[in-house]
């Protein structure tokens, strides 16, 4: 592995690196996650979506007014 691990804050760093390398802005972005580990990336998205979130992410999403999707299996 080279550079930042793609985990927690590392996902944001890797995303920024990719955007910079491709001369792309981060605007009108959506990100979907089920894990509290992705809170840093969800915080950067224009439209964060907690999808079948774990309890920590569900609590955060409710407090921040993020969209929450629950799939029943």
């Amino acid at each position: 592995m080279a550079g930042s691990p793609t985990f927690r804050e590392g996902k944001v760093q890797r995303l920024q690196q990719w955007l910079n390398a491709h001369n792309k802005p981060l605007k009108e972005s959506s990100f979907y996650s089920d894990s509290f580990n992705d809170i840093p990336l969800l915080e950067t998205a224009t439209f964060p979506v907690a999808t079948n979130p774990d309890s920590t992410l569900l609590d955060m999403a409710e407090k921040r007014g993020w969209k929450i999707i629950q799939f029943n299996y």
Side-chain angles (χ1 to χ4, degrees), residues 38-63:
D38 290 329
I39 288 173
L41 191 53
L42 286 162
E43 291 175 326
T44 68
T46 309
F47 306 105
V49 182
T51 308
N52 284 357
D54 60 33
S55 60
T56 303
L57 178 55
L58 178 61
D59 183 55
M60 175 74 68
E62 288 175 341
K63 287 178 181 173

Side-chain angles (χ1 to χ4, degrees), residues 30-34 38 42 47-51 67 69:
S30 298
F31 187 74
Y32 294 75
S33 180
D34 64 348
D38 290 329
L42 286 162
F47 306 105
V49 182
T51 308
K67 185 173 183 176
I69 296 174

Side-chain angles (χ1 to χ4, degrees), residues 4-17 40:
S4 301
T6 309
F7 181 72
R8 299 186 56 96
E9 292 81 4
K11 286 188 178 185
V12 177
Q13 293 170 356
R14 290 295 185 120
L15 173 61
Q16 277 306 134
Q17 290 170 351

Side-chain angles (χ1 to χ4, degrees), residues 25-36:
L26 180 65
K27 62 180 180 180
E28 300 300 312
S29 60
S30 298
F31 187 74
Y32 294 75
S33 180
D34 64 348
S35 172
F36 74 94

